[in-house]
Amino acid sequence: SQTIHQWPATLVQPVGSPLSLECTVEGTSNPNLYWYRQAAGRGLQLLFYSVGIGQISSEVPQNLSASRPQDRQFILSSKKLLLSDSGFYLCAWRAAGPGELFFGEGSRLTVL
Amino acid sequence: GENVEQHPSTLSVQEGDSAVIKCTYSDSASNYFPWYKQELGKRPQLIIDIRSNVGEKKDQRIAVTLNKTAKHFSLHITETQPEDSAVYFCAASGSNYQLIWGAGTKLIIKP
């Protein structure tokens, strides 16, 4: 069966520090991969999605970037965090075509 | 592009009563409509979905109805229980099957 792993689960970072969140999917090949951010009490904001290795689409201009170095690996990065980057980051995957989106357990980021 | 509106933003119902959450979408080409439940501090999880060739789908106490003409779909929860308390998100598939999300409904079940 397919599983999705996301880490770290929680992190507290100072303003201006770098960020790296990692997500891996097991049990499937060529998944569509997504990074979402959710501010406290708010909805799901799509940040990036990828339909294949090295193919990244950005939905919102920001100081974040994403990379897909391997088929089932998706990384979210920042060189310098802002206070506004705080939130709950969710990685997700689905197979090609319309269908269920499976979310990772999330990474809660607090920028101080 | 696709736009999804969800109402109400907060819904408080007595335990045992029914709850209804409504969403409207703008793109008539959308063909997939999932509903996700997110408990506090947890990830969203699919509870039910419907495709455009079906008007209604049920799974125990949960049902979804779709009106393609009016471009709206609704989530119905009957005999609500305390564990139904959560935030519920609707979504509609846009171009390239990307999901466009509603803003969420916080459902509160009063004992």
Side-chain angles (χ1 to χ4, degrees), chain A residues 2-112:
Chain A
Q2 303 91 355
T3 57
I4 179 169
H5 302 283
Q6 181 181 346
W7 69 92
T10 307
L11 64 167
V12 180
Q13 296 285 101
V15 169
S17 65
L19 171 74
S20 181
L21 301 178
E22 189 164 343
C23 173
T24 59
V25 180
E26 297 177 356
T28 187
S29 56
N30 198 31
N32 288 0
L33 296 172
Y34 302 82
W35 278 111
Y36 284 89
R37 178 170 61 198
Q38 193 173 30
R42 304 298 294 274
L44 297 162
Q45 180 188 30
L46 179 63
L47 300 176
F48 301 94
Y49 69 93
S50 171
V51 298
I53 296 174
Q55 300 178 61
I56 309 294
S57 296
S58 174
E59 291 293 307
V60 182
Q62 63 229 324
N63 68 322
L64 300 171
S65 62
S67 62
R68 185 171 177 173
Q70 300 181 47
D71 182 43
R72 291 170 289 176
Q73 183 185 27
F74 206 23
I75 298 170
L76 182 69
S77 304
S78 174
K79 293 182 179 178
K80 289 186 177 182
L81 286 168
L82 308 173
L83 286 173
S84 57
D85 291 324
S86 292
F88 191 46
Y89 288 80
L90 290 155
C91 181
W93 79 272
R94 67 170 174 82
E100 184 173 357
L101 188 65
F102 297 90
F103 288 91
E105 294 190 350
S107 299
R108 190 165 303 281
L109 170 66
T110 303
V111 182
L112 301 175

Side-chain angles (χ1 to χ4, degrees), chain B residues 76-93:
Chain B
H76 305 254
I77 305 174
T78 58
E79 302 173 6
T80 53
Q81 300 170 5
E83 53 265 36
D84 294 329
S85 293
V87 177
Y88 292 81
F89 291 98
C90 66
S93 62

Side-chain angles (χ1 to χ4, degrees), chain B residues 42-92:
Chain B
K42 302 291 184 62
R43 57 183 150 183
Q45 293 191 298
L46 180 73
I47 55 171
I48 196 167
D49 57 10
I50 192 168
R51 296 182 187 271
S52 59
N53 59 346
V54 175
E56 183 176 5
K57 184 177 178 180
K58 288 184 179 180
D59 182 3
Q60 300 182 349
R61 297 187 296 109
I62 293 172
V64 56
T65 58
L66 171 65
N67 183 325
K68 287 194 298 180
T69 302
K71 290 189 281 189
H72 65 71
F73 56 111
S74 300
L75 177 70
H76 305 254
I77 305 174
T78 58
E79 302 173 6
T80 53
Q81 300 170 5
E83 53 265 36
D84 294 329
S85 293
V87 177
Y88 292 81
F89 291 98
C90 66

